[in-house]
Amino acid sequence: MLDVPPAATHHPGLDALLLHHEVDKFNAAYAAALDEQRLADWVEMFTEDAFYVVISRENADKGMPVGLIYCDSKAMIHDRAFALEKTAMFAPRYLRHIIGNLQVLGEEERGAIRARANYVVIQVLYDRPDAKLHQVGVYHDVFRRVDGVLKLAERRCIYDNLLVDNALCLPV
Amino acid sequence: MLDVPPAATHHPGLDALLLHHEVDKFNAAYAAALDEQRLADWVEMFTEDAFYVVISRENADKGMPVGLIYCDSKAMIHDRAFALEKTAMFAPRYLRHIIGNLQVLGEEERGAIRARANYVVIQVLYDRPDAKLHQVGVYHDVFRRVDGVLKLAERRCIYDNLLVDNALCLPV
Amino acid sequence: MLDVPPAATHHPGLDALLLHHEVDKFNAAYAAALDEQRLADWVEMFTEDAFYVVISRENADKGMPVGLIYCDSKAMIHDRAFALEKTAMFAPRYLRHIIGNLQVLGEEERGAIRARANYVVIQVLYDRPDAKLHQVGVYHDVFRRVDGVLKLAERRCIYDNLLVDNALCLPV
């Protein structure tokens, strides 16, 4: 694993801005991969040892790690995605992510970049006119560069709500 | 038509960031024009030969170009807007756009800039407390500079849903 | 009060971009403070003489200043927040802000920065699966730097709708 950050500008504000933009672009690409049901691309956005969980705000506030989805490696994330591809991805629904309010909280030792962002996932059932707020919450993230490219080493998706008419645990 | 890009910084990351910001500002101004019902301003955001369509995701996925709105010139967009001004704009509803997840996909030959972004349009009927997700989808765009100012040469609005209680085909 | 802007880059586009980013970061931090119910932090984001109102679009359009919330100093905002902390903050609901479509409209005399942004506040009642659009609207803002840090000298929150099942006037 190489850690190749982009060229520095030697202006602290600009370097912070470039990093913010890099994470912002990552999140837009992440949302597009899920919205377009390109799950193989989605899996590739995680590091080999990535931690990915989807957990309720109530449980997160209580420090209870029990979640809807729990993966502690890219292999588990991959299995999850492929299981979905055989089921949910062909179910008649569209999803659309809006990721906003990005905060890059800092670059830590060993190149880990902590960030957070709010997310809204809107679900539309085929041939139905009404869109619904499927899931609303916050991402708590740790990014790392792998060969110069940002990857998610950790994404904890903490949702305020979960629409119960969706029996499937879709990734967000 | 002059093609005057902003001053280059000679730092590839910063130049990409400036372009991203330029498109982001465009989208915020575009949303404000529609939200504030300034349709004449909205029309001016397109090139003379602009292509503007609003089409369902289902039809877009099948390669069927049949849409809710179809305009292949600024003149048609203008007619559309003025027809609306005589009808829908005085109908008792507010619209509010959220445009997010912008991706600038690249600058092509002849200065064409391809981009995409997710959008949510929220509708509120006057004196009604509940806001509704009127339309949720993705913009597939081509921008060009006219006299140094970004304009939309193409915007394909591909919606996941369309709230049927809205008989009018409002621009998004 | 010191007015210490960040280091200039001497590139007009970059300086505008840095300012935009500074306001964008402010809004993300503002949303996080409210979403996480850190009301004391929220109060600190205003200047001493700040003007903060929450008003309907209908009244704003008519030039009627009567609003849901009216504060013309940080002291009043503080009182408002603490009154809430004794009531609403322990009510069983989560709020989640999405702030988008930021437009920095310019830097005026005496360092005042005018901006606007659209906002959506989504409400979730505890143990309920459905998230609702609590409030949708636009912020009209004036920022000032206090000791080099951006603060809100004015935030007018103009909402398209207000969900009536919420009797409490929560800050947005």
Side-chain angles (χ1 to χ4, degrees):
Chain A
M1 189 183 94
L2 293 174
D3 184 339
V4 184
T9 63
H10 304 296
H11 180 291
L14 285 182
D15 287 343
L17 181 49
L18 283 170
L19 179 60
H20 188 279
H21 181 55
E22 204 181 346
V23 176
D24 186 56
K25 280 195 296 183
F26 181 96
N27 280 338
Y30 180 100
L34 287 181
D35 290 351
E36 298 170 2
Q37 307 184 348
R38 293 183 281 104
L39 291 181
D41 293 345
W42 175 69
V43 172
E44 288 308 312
M45 302 186 86
F46 292 89
T47 63
E48 293 298 325
D49 61 347
F51 183 68
Y52 174 74
V53 291
V54 181
I55 190 172
S56 72
R57 187 164 170 174
E58 193 184 1
N59 279 357
D61 284 350
K62 290 176 183 165
M64 291 169 63
V66 181
L68 199 66
I69 296 180
Y70 181 98
C71 299
D72 63 7
S73 71
K74 184 173 167 184
M76 277 183 78
I77 294 169
H78 178 270
D79 286 352
R80 182 95 205 179
F82 271 71
L84 276 165
E85 210 157 52
K86 286 166 193 152
T87 57
M89 286 304 107
F90 300 104
R93 80 190 61 209
Y94 292 127
L95 298 176
R96 180 74 50 199
H97 288 66
I98 296 285
I99 304 176
N101 302 13
L102 170 63
Q103 293 183 286
V104 175
L105 302 169
E107 196 152 359
E108 293 176 352
E109 72 287 352
R110 300 167 56 94
I113 298 154
R114 287 192 312 114
R116 49 155 290 163
N118 282 356
Y119 68 88
V120 177
V121 185
I122 295 166
Q123 175 184 282
V124 175
L125 299 180
Y126 283 15
D127 301 322
R128 291 286 298 275
D130 51 326
K132 287 193 175 174
L133 295 166
H134 168 64
Q135 197 174 131
V136 178
V138 57
Y139 295 136
H140 289 284
D141 299 329
V142 179
F143 291 89
R144 276 207 319 265
R145 287 201 184 84
V146 178
D147 296 335
V149 177
L150 278 192
K151 304 268 183 184
L152 275 169
E154 184 176 323
R155 171 154 280 182
R156 292 185 294 127
C157 313
I158 301 175
Y159 59 88
D160 298 335
N161 86 302
L162 185 76
L163 195 66
V164 283
D165 74 357
N166 190 332
L168 301 158
C169 300
L170 299 166
V172 290
Chain B
M1 190 183 96
L2 293 174
D3 183 340
V4 184
T9 64
H10 304 296
H11 180 291
L14 286 182
D15 287 343
L17 182 49
L18 282 169
L19 179 61
H20 188 278
H21 181 54
E22 205 181 347
V23 176
D24 187 56
K25 280 195 297 183
F26 180 97
N27 281 338
Y30 179 101
L34 287 180
D35 290 351
E36 297 170 3
Q37 307 184 349
R38 293 184 281 103
L39 291 181
D41 292 346
W42 175 69
V43 172
E44 287 308 312
M45 304 187 85
F46 291 90
T47 62
E48 293 298 325
D49 61 345
F51 183 69
Y52 175 73
V53 291
V54 181
I55 190 172
S56 72
R57 186 165 171 172
E58 193 185 0
N59 279 357
D61 285 349
K62 289 176 183 164
M64 292 169 64
V66 182
L68 198 65
I69 295 180
Y70 181 96
C71 299
D72 63 8
S73 72
K74 184 174 168 183
M76 277 183 77
I77 294 169
H78 179 270
D79 286 352
R80 182 93 206 182
F82 271 71
L84 276 164
E85 212 157 51
K86 286 168 192 151
T87 57
M89 285 304 107
F90 301 103
R93 79 191 61 209
Y94 291 127
L95 297 177
R96 181 74 50 200
H97 289 66
I98 297 284
I99 303 177
N101 302 15
L102 170 63
Q103 293 184 285
V104 175
L105 302 170
E107 198 154 359
E108 294 177 353
E109 74 287 351
R110 300 167 55 95
I113 297 154
R114 287 192 312 114
R116 51 156 289 165
N118 283 355
Y119 69 88
V120 177
V121 185
I122 294 166
Q123 174 183 281
V124 175
L125 299 179
Y126 283 17
D127 302 325
R128 292 285 301 276
D130 51 325
K132 286 193 176 175
L133 296 166
H134 166 63
Q135 197 175 131
V136 178
V138 58
Y139 294 136
H140 288 285
D141 298 330
V142 179
F143 291 90
R144 277 209 317 265
R145 286 197 185 88
V146 178
D147 297 335
V149 176
L150 276 193
K151 304 268 182 185
L152 275 170
E154 185 177 322
R155 172 154 281 181
R156 290 185 294 127
C157 313
I158 300 175
Y159 60 88
D160 297 337
N161 85 302
L162 184 76
L163 194 65
V164 282
D165 76 356
N166 190 332
L168 300 158
C169 300
L170 299 165
V172 289
Chain C
M1 189 182 96
L2 294 173
D3 183 340
V4 185
T9 63
H10 304 295
H11 180 290
L14 286 180
D15 287 343
L17 182 50
L18 283 169
L19 179 59
H20 187 279
H21 181 55
E22 205 181 346
V23 176
D24 186 56
K25 279 195 298 183
F26 181 97
N27 281 338
Y30 180 101
L34 287 180
D35 290 350
E36 296 170 5
Q37 307 184 347
R38 294 183 281 104
L39 290 181
D41 293 344
W42 175 69
V43 172
E44 288 308 312
M45 303 186 87
F46 292 89
T47 63
E48 294 298 325
D49 61 347
F51 182 69
Y52 174 74
V53 291
V54 181
I55 189 172
S56 72
R57 186 165 171 174
E58 194 184 1
N59 279 356
D61 285 349
K62 290 176 184 166
M64 292 170 62
V66 181
L68 199 65
I69 297 180
Y70 181 97
C71 299
D72 62 8
S73 72
K74 184 173 167 182
M76 278 183 77
I77 294 169
H78 179 270
D79 287 352
R80 182 94 205 182
F82 271 70
L84 276 164
E85 209 156 54
K86 286 167 192 151
T87 56
M89 286 305 107
F90 301 103
R93 78 191 62 209
Y94 292 127
L95 297 177
R96 181 75 48 199
H97 289 66
I98 297 284
I99 303 176
N101 302 16
L102 169 63
Q103 293 183 286
V104 175
L105 302 169
E107 197 151 359
E108 295 175 353
E109 72 288 352
R110 299 167 55 94
I113 296 154
R114 288 192 311 115
R116 48 156 292 165
N118 283 355
Y119 68 89
V120 177
V121 185
I122 294 166
Q123 174 184 282
V124 175
L125 299 179
Y126 283 17
D127 301 324
R128 291 286 298 275
D130 52 326
K132 285 193 176 175
L133 296 166
H134 167 62
Q135 196 175 133
V136 178
V138 57
Y139 295 136
H140 289 284
D141 299 329
V142 178
F143 291 89
R144 277 208 319 265
R145 286 199 184 85
V146 178
D147 297 335
V149 176
L150 277 192
K151 303 268 184 185
L152 274 169
E154 184 177 322
R155 171 154 281 182
R156 291 184 296 128
C157 313
I158 299 175
Y159 58 89
D160 297 337
N161 84 303
L162 185 76
L163 195 64
V164 284
D165 75 356
N166 189 332
L168 301 158
C169 300
L170 300 165
V172 289

